[in-house]
Amino acid sequence: MQPKVKSSATTVSFYCAVRLKLLPSILHFYDFLHTHKHSTTTPSSPFTKQAFASLLESCSSESYQLKQIHALILTTGLSIKNSLITQLLTSLTLLGDMTYARLLFDEMHKPRSFLWNTLIKEYVKNDLSIEATSVYQKMHRLGVRPDTFTYPFVLKACAQVDDLWTGQEVHAHVVKFGLHCNAIVRTELMMMYAKVGELGSADYLFETMSNRDLVAWNALIAVYVQTGNAGKALGMFHGMVLAGIKPDSVTVVSALSACADLGCLEIGKQIDQFVMKEILDSNLFVNNARLHMYVKCGNIEAARCLFDKMPQRNVISWSTMIRGYAMNGESDKSLHLFSVMQNMGVQPNQVTYLGILSACGHAGLVREGQSYFEEMVKSNDCNVQPRLEHYACMVDLLGRSGHLEEAFDFIKRMPIEPDAGVWGALLGACTIHKNIELSQNVADILFNLAPEIASYHVLLSNIYAAAGRWGDVEKVRQKMRKKGVKKVVAYSSVEASGEVHVFHGGDRSHPLSSNIYEALAELIKQITSIGYMPNTTEVLHDVQMEEKEATLSTHSEKLAVAFGLINVRPQSPIRVIKNLRICNDCHTFMKFSSKVTNREIIMRDKNRFHHFKDGYCSCKDFW
DNA sequence: ATAGGGTTAG
């Protein structure tokens, strides 16, 4: 028989150990009490449910400690309380140990809905959505009644794995259990449909929702922006204001993001004013979104002004500003800001480096780019190791500045498998430098890797066309037809009085079409008189010269600028957004136009901005 | 006990 004092000393020590998070001591004390036949299950035992709960909490950062505690729970004979196991399960999942968590779950006798919900939730959080849906299906099979807490997670899982089929099945269950009017479940249903591309179903659920609240509006607006439907998102934003719902910081972030996508500076500025009026400008998310909007609308001065005024900045703010300068061809400012950032102790991430590498690319700074790339490779931080995008950037940098062989070598020495983006960068460089042999090899690789991407076919046929090899051009076009490769339709857009006007090549659908064509004809007349000559080398078809010129003269950006001349206030620049890259002829056209009309033309193409002014472009013809 | 919306790049 042990002296009583000793075991109570042990009891005290146990609590101390728990408080100090000393698991080895705890295990030691447990061992002591256990081997001395001190009951571990009586009410006076230190091994109470509460003690375990706090023990679990203090050891929640180490998976192996949690497993030791699990063993402890089992040997104490303490009945396995759901709450204790749930806590253990949650801690394990937070550490990413879903395997052990699942083991625990499967050992339990008839777990309640709550625990099923927990397991599903944790699978989703750990990016294991397929497991999440299969757990839900098992739950359903076993007849465990799901509740309103079950569905948000299950629907998130369906959306994450792009599984419309299961999503619809789950939707049916939601209706069966009468949960479809719950605002949260319904919001998640909408999100699921929108994310898998079923916008109609999302809209329907929203339209027929009786208790449409702020979050429901925000959710739908956000998901529209995220899925590339910025125009629709802005439409919803207006609808929300009309419906008398006051936007909050979350709404504003999505709306600004939509403006950034569309290049809607006017609307963006209006939202900016709302931000100031409602004093939302202390929110970092909001300020980053404003910054992004100004950058993507080509108003780099406003962006910098805001950046300097921001009360807080994080790596996203810095990356956005750095990339903003890069996109606008101000590489020196971009690189300078990067060094300021590093001096301030802000850790750059992969996105920051992407901005830096593209800044080097736009300025032809080969050596600098290589040294930044080396910086990434040598970094101890696994979060700044170069990824495929960075390799593509480097190939672009090397190739664009004429080092084609070096770029090719660079790809061959890559430690990871190059993708179409990397090879595509090389093909693009081959086009610029008119290297037919290399481009044929690269194109072969690309046609195997990504046969469905039209732009690679187009690049190759451009190279042939430039060399006058019309037979080869025709072969590429036949191949495209045979494989059903569709070209991405080019468009340009201009914002006037808060409305976006979209133009396609040869477009006559605009209500002001005849005025636009008139203005365009006049413009061509004017620039021709000061030396403009159409450059038809990039026109694909082997047709008569006049026909080529006709195609060329109605490229979407030319129509957009002609429209801008009529409809954008004379003192402000004409801002054009293009979904593809600008062609050589349009680039020359814009330079001449900026001179004869004495107007600034700011054009955002797929990659960067061109600021045309007084007959020059900010890209210095290197793009 | 547990639930819905947000920022950079591609």
Side-chain angles (χ1 to χ4, degrees):
Chain A
M1 191 71 184
Q2 290 295 313
K4 204 167 183 232
V5 63
K6 196 147 190 195
S7 67
S8 65
T10 308
T11 308
V12 172
S13 307
F14 174 81
Y15 283 119
C16 290
V18 167
R19 182 148 314 170
L20 296 171
K21 310 179 181 187
L22 299 169
L23 188 63
S25 311
I26 295 163
L27 294 169
H28 172 75
F29 294 134
Y30 168 77
D31 200 38
F32 176 85
L33 292 162
H34 195 71
T35 51
H36 292 87
K37 302 279 182 280
H38 187 95
S39 168
T40 51
T41 49
T42 61
S44 65
S45 156
F47 297 98
T48 59
K49 200 173 134 184
Q50 287 77 18
F52 274 113
S54 70
L55 186 57
L56 282 170
E57 199 176 315
S58 57
C59 295
S60 61
S61 60
E62 290 289 353
S63 194
Y64 77 95
Q65 290 191 340
L66 291 173
K67 287 174 193 174
Q68 285 176 329
I69 297 167
H70 179 217
L72 214 61
I73 294 172
L74 296 179
T75 53
T76 54
L78 196 76
S79 62
I80 302 169
K81 288 280 184 289
N82 270 9
S83 65
L84 221 49
I85 294 294
T86 303
Q87 197 182 338
L88 189 54
L89 214 142
T90 311
S91 300
L92 283 163
T93 53
L94 281 177
L95 297 170
D97 196 342
M98 286 307 295
T99 317
Y100 199 81
R102 183 58 186 270
L103 223 71
L104 282 183
F105 182 83
D106 287 340
E107 276 171 15
M108 289 182 72
H109 179 65
K110 290 205 170 179
R112 313 259 305 256
S113 297
F114 169 69
L115 214 57
W116 288 93
N117 295 350
T118 307
L119 191 69
I120 294 170
K121 172 178 75 182
E122 297 302 336
Y123 270 132
V124 177
K125 272 202 210 155
N126 283 281
D127 277 334
L128 295 164
S129 290
I130 298 200
E131 277 82 354
T133 51
S134 91
V135 168
Y136 168 74
Q137 272 155 347
K138 188 173 175 191
M139 178 184 186
H140 192 255
R141 248 196 336 271
L142 294 176
V144 183
R145 199 185 168 85
D147 54 26
T148 53
F149 296 95
T150 314
Y151 286 108
F153 300 121
V154 178
L155 291 165
K156 257 201 175 82
C158 296
Q160 213 177 79
V161 293
D162 205 20
D163 185 352
L164 175 61
W165 181 251
T166 310
Q168 284 173 325
E169 191 187 342
V170 171
H171 187 175
H173 297 169
V174 167
V175 176
K176 189 174 103 185
F177 290 112
L179 303 173
H180 56 289
C181 290
N182 176 291
I184 298 173
V185 173
R186 202 179 183 94
T187 303
E188 278 298 346
L189 268 171
M190 278 163 23
M191 298 276 286
M192 183 275 292
Y193 278 121
K195 281 181 187 163
V196 302
E198 288 286 310
L199 301 188
S201 303
D203 274 341
Y204 177 78
L205 283 172
F206 184 71
E207 296 296 332
T208 53
M209 187 171 178
S210 55
N211 45 348
R212 245 181 265 166
D213 57 11
L214 177 65
V215 179
W217 280 97
N218 283 350
L220 209 55
I221 294 173
V223 85
Y224 276 138
V225 180
Q226 287 159 10
T227 51
N229 295 286
K232 205 156 175 183
L234 270 192
M236 295 251 340
F237 175 70
H238 286 130
M240 172 181 178
V241 175
L242 286 178
I245 306 229
K246 192 165 164 181
D248 70 351
S249 58
V250 178
T251 328
V252 157
V253 167
S254 297
L256 284 169
S257 185
C259 292
D261 277 3
L262 298 168
C264 292
L265 186 60
E266 300 281 316
I267 302 172
K269 278 181 177 166
Q270 283 168 23
I271 297 171
D272 210 16
Q273 277 164 11
F274 176 84
V275 166
M276 302 310 283
K277 198 177 107 219
E278 298 297 326
I279 325 171
L280 301 172
D281 59 324
S282 53
N283 180 315
L284 183 57
F285 275 68
V286 170
N287 285 339
N288 282 344
R290 293 164 75 203
L291 195 60
H292 179 220
M293 183 275 290
Y294 279 118
V295 160
K296 287 295 272 295
C297 291
N299 199 336
I300 194 78
E301 298 82 14
R304 182 54 192 259
C305 182
L306 168 62
F307 181 80
D308 288 335
K309 274 192 248 170
M310 278 168 61
Q312 296 148 30
R313 294 177 204 115
N314 62 4
V315 66
I316 293 179
S317 330
W318 286 94
S319 305
T320 305
M321 197 65 230
I322 287 170
R323 187 174 152 76
Y325 278 130
M327 281 182 77
N328 282 278
E330 303 199 43
S331 301
D332 42 347
K333 287 189 184 163
S334 179
L335 299 182
H336 177 250
L337 204 60
F338 182 67
S339 72
V340 174
M341 169 188 174
Q342 282 188 311
N343 289 337
M344 287 182 69
V346 182
Q347 281 303 314
N349 63 18
Q350 281 152 329
V351 182
T352 326
Y353 275 104
L354 224 45
I356 283 300
L357 293 177
S358 80
C360 293
H362 291 158
L365 301 170
V366 178
R367 297 297 151 227
E368 287 81 351
Q370 282 173 325
S371 111
Y372 287 117
F373 189 81
E374 279 307 306
E375 203 173 291
M376 294 184 77
V377 173
K378 287 190 186 130
S379 165
N380 298 320
D381 188 349
C382 59
N383 286 323
V384 294
Q385 283 307 306
R387 297 195 315 204
L388 283 165
E389 295 97 314
H390 301 91
Y391 283 96
C393 248
M394 285 306 289
V395 171
D396 182 75
L397 170 62
L398 293 166
R400 196 179 290 282
S401 44
H403 303 83
L404 288 176
E405 287 304 324
E406 210 175 318
F408 196 22
D409 265 3
F410 181 81
I411 297 179
K412 284 191 234 160
R413 284 186 280 110
M414 276 176 63
I416 46 178
E417 195 63 30
D419 68 344
V422 176
W423 288 113
L426 185 56
L427 186 61
C430 290
T431 317
I432 295 171
H433 296 287
K434 305 191 172 25
N435 185 324
I436 295 187
E437 274 102 305
L438 187 54
S439 65
Q440 282 170 327
N441 293 333
V442 176
D444 278 340
I445 296 169
L446 276 166
F447 296 162
N448 270 322
L449 216 54
E452 75 289 353
I453 298 183
S455 61
Y456 302 136
H457 292 87
V458 175
L459 278 176
L460 183 64
S461 80
N462 277 352
I463 296 176
Y464 286 139
R469 288 166 59 166
W470 301 108
D472 289 318
V473 171
E474 187 51 36
K475 271 186 210 154
V476 175
R477 295 185 62 225
Q478 275 173 0
K479 199 167 174 180
M480 285 177 76
R481 272 198 299 268
K482 213 171 104 192
K483 298 200 173 175
V485 183
K486 287 243 163 55
K487 271 175 75 172
V488 177
V489 179
Y491 70 79
S492 298
S493 67
V494 186
E495 188 191 31
S497 329
E499 262 184 54
V500 182
H501 301 256
V502 181
F503 299 93
H504 295 100
D507 203 339
R508 289 189 182 265
S509 63
H510 195 279
L512 295 174
S513 195
S514 59
N515 305 40
I516 294 169
Y517 276 86
E518 224 169 84
L520 182 59
E522 174 60 26
L523 183 57
I524 292 175
K525 206 171 107 192
Q526 284 182 23
I527 62 176
T528 306
S529 73
I530 61 163
Y532 165 74
M533 293 257 287
N535 173 355
T536 52
T537 50
E538 284 181 20
V539 181
L540 273 181
H541 324 273
D542 182 18
V543 291
Q544 293 303 305
M545 200 48 107
E546 304 87 72
E547 203 177 323
K548 273 192 200 174
E549 285 188 18
T551 314
L552 204 59
S553 67
T554 56
H555 271 185
S556 64
E557 51 267 60
K558 290 179 179 124
L559 294 174
V561 167
F563 169 80
L565 284 173
I566 310 171
N567 280 288
V568 175
R569 273 178 301 147
Q571 59 275 28
S572 51
I574 299 170
R575 296 169 185 277
V576 180
I577 307 291
K578 231 189 108 71
N579 66 332
L580 301 174
R581 306 218 57 186
I582 182 171
C583 77
N584 274 314
D585 179 68
C586 283
H587 197 263
T588 310
F589 176 98
M590 297 302 160
K591 285 195 286 185
F592 277 112
S593 299
S594 71
K595 195 171 172 70
V596 297
T597 61
N598 201 23
R599 292 191 68 161
E600 192 180 355
I601 299 167
I602 301 176
M603 185 170 298
R604 185 180 94 191
D605 76 7
K606 200 166 180 286
N607 288 347
R608 60 169 298 161
F609 278 97
H610 300 268
H611 296 255
F612 301 97
K613 204 177 172 182
D614 294 329
Y616 294 96
C617 179
S618 60
C619 78
K620 302 185 184 75
D621 301 339
F622 184 80
W623 87 91

